[in-house]
């Protein structure tokens, strides 16, 4: 029997779709230095620069995965499919680190 409390953070959708809406987890310490973003969480720190900082910042709970990918396309002029693949992979990594959670439909 497991005596630990259940995790109530909204988990990543089983199969993330372009319509899913990521948001930054509350309580993460965020420090900005120029275009870089330093995240402090649990006993860890994570430095995000360039596209990674842009994706984290764009995951504000109002934009879908596709919208976040479009920010990369508009900023860096990369292929939309490549942007969507990269954003999906990066958001999955941030979700596993408990830095991103998922907005659940009401």
């Amino acid at each position: 029997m497991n005596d630990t409390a259940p995790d109530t953070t909204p988990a990543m959708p089983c199969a993330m779709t372009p319509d899913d809406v990521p948001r930054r987890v509350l309580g993460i310490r965020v420090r900005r230095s120029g275009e870089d973003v330093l995240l402090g969480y649990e006993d860890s720190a994570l430095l995000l620069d360039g596209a990674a900082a842009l994706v984290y910042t764009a995951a504000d709970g109002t934009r879908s995965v596709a919208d976040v990918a479009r920010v990369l396309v508009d900023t860096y002029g990369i292929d939309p499919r490549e942007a969507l693949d990269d954003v999906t992979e990066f958001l999955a990594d941030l979700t596993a680190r408990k830095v991103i959670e998922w907005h659940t439909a009401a």
Side-chain angles (χ1 to χ4, degrees):
M1 177 164 21
N2 188 346
D3 291 332
T4 61
D7 184 0
T8 58
T9 302
M12 181 174 59
C14 293
M16 188 189 315
T17 72
D19 295 326
D20 291 325
V21 179
R23 65 180 176 198
R24 298 179 297 264
V25 171
L26 295 176
I28 301 291
R29 293 177 308 281
V30 178
R31 300 290 180 262
R32 297 183 190 278
S33 175
E35 294 182 10
D36 296 346
V37 176
L38 178 64
L39 306 178
Y41 61 100
E42 298 175 351
D43 291 332
S44 300
L46 181 63
L47 178 63
L48 304 177
D49 60 0
L54 188 62
V55 169
Y56 176 79
T57 302
D60 61 5
T62 66
R63 293 181 177 105
S64 68
V65 173
D67 294 336
V68 174
R70 173 57 56 192
V71 171
L72 281 186
V73 170
D74 292 346
T75 302
Y76 295 107
I78 63 175
D79 175 72
R81 183 74 227 164
E82 181 181 346
L84 184 60
D85 290 346
D86 290 348
V87 165
T88 300
E89 182 179 336
F90 185 60
L91 289 173
D93 180 57
L94 292 180
T95 301
R97 293 173 184 255
K98 297 184 179 181
V99 172
I100 290 290
E101 60 187 15
W102 296 87
H103 189 299
T104 55

